[in-house]
Amino acid sequence: MNIGIFSGSFDPIHVGHMIIAEHICEFAGMDEIWFSVSPRNPLKSAEGLSDIKHRVAMLKMAIGNDTRMKYCDVETKLPVPSYTADMLDVLKAEYPQHSFSLIIGGDNWNIFDKWYRHEYIAENFGLLVFPRPGCKTNTIPENGKVTFCDAPEMEISSTYIRKYAGMGRRLNYCVPPGVMDYIIDNGLYR
């Protein structure tokens, strides 16, 4: 099978993530999308990052019963901070029957050269790059399997949701069903 790996902080997961995942599944030849919650991104500050158990719970809620979407726990078992290249190596070893492509936004594409073993990732795994508002993604590497997806540009962000959820605002239509209640019930982003 062709598997798209969508890794991120998902703090919280929102409808934009799910729309992108569905679009890539439907239009980029992926059989399934495996979501991986990054315990701590080495290129971002860990300050204010919600506990991984909350981020995983919200992700599983978002996936619900959609059989095309899966939660992948490989990254949570790696040393922190985790590196995408290491996670992809583990997946390749554990599931040699599958072909893996990494899903990233245009914002990450623009800093992809700062990623640990980025050339290795580009050469050995497919990259599916979705557009992000304000990010031009027209630079194509000489090596690697990079596809720029014609996916919708999503203005919504986890930062936006954290800000307004922290102010006590309900943003039910910005997050998948049940996620806003989970945020409130667990006092997240206060």
Side-chain angles (χ1 to χ4, degrees), residues 165 168-172 178-190:
R169 306 288 188 212
R170 289 192 71 86
L171 302 168
N172 289 322
V179 171
M180 184 51 60
D181 288 333
Y182 185 92
I183 290 169
I184 292 167
D185 292 347
N186 289 279
L188 300 180
Y189 316 125
R190 291 290 185 155

Side-chain angles (χ1 to χ4, degrees), residues 17 21 34 69 90 120 123 165 174 176 189:
H17 294 126
W34 292 5
M69 311 290 169
V90 171
Y120 170 79
E123 290 170 9
C174 293
Y189 316 125

Side-chain angles (χ1 to χ4, degrees), residues 7-75:
S7 177
S9 299
F10 300 118
D11 193 18
I13 185 109
H14 55 68
V15 294
H17 294 126
M18 301 310 293
I19 290 168
I20 294 298
E22 181 174 62
H23 182 89
I24 288 175
C25 205
E26 290 297 320
F27 298 104
M30 295 296 109
D31 298 304
E32 293 180 352
I33 305 297
W34 292 5
F35 288 86
S36 176
V37 178
S38 178
R40 188 174 81 71
N41 182 330
L43 296 177
K44 290 183 180 179
S45 169
E47 185 177 333
L49 190 63
S50 298
D51 189 291
I52 195 159
K53 72 177 181 184
H54 294 304
R55 294 182 286 136
V56 168
M58 290 185 284
L59 173 62
K60 288 180 177 179
M61 239 178 257
I63 292 170
N65 295 324
D66 191 333
T67 58
R68 302 167 302 165
M69 311 290 169
K70 310 277 187 225
Y71 165 61
C72 174
D73 68 352
V74 167
E75 196 169 3

Side-chain angles (χ1 to χ4, degrees), residues 77-167:
K77 297 175 182 175
L78 296 175
V80 175
S82 57
Y83 294 97
T84 302
D86 295 341
M87 175 192 57
L88 291 168
D89 280 343
V90 171
L91 287 171
K92 187 176 179 180
E94 287 186 11
Y95 304 97
Q97 73 276 23
H98 297 321
S99 175
F100 295 100
S101 295
L102 181 64
I103 301 167
I104 64 171
D107 51 343
N108 275 310
W109 174 249
N110 290 337
I111 61 164
F112 192 65
D113 62 337
K114 293 179 177 26
W115 285 36
Y116 174 68
R117 296 171 61 204
H118 67 278
E119 290 173 340
Y120 170 79
I121 295 170
E123 290 170 9
N124 292 281
F125 301 91
L127 281 169
L128 301 168
V129 183
F130 62 88
R132 293 281 289 152
C135 295
K136 296 196 185 288
T137 55
N138 54 4
T139 312
I140 299 174
E142 292 178 23
N143 297 339
K145 303 174 265 185
V146 180
T147 302
F148 293 99
C149 300
D150 184 25
E153 281 192 36
M154 305 304 301
E155 291 283 343
I156 191 165
S157 70
S158 296
T159 303
Y160 170 87
I161 295 166
R162 286 192 307 270
K163 176 182 177 181
Y164 288 105
M167 297 166 80

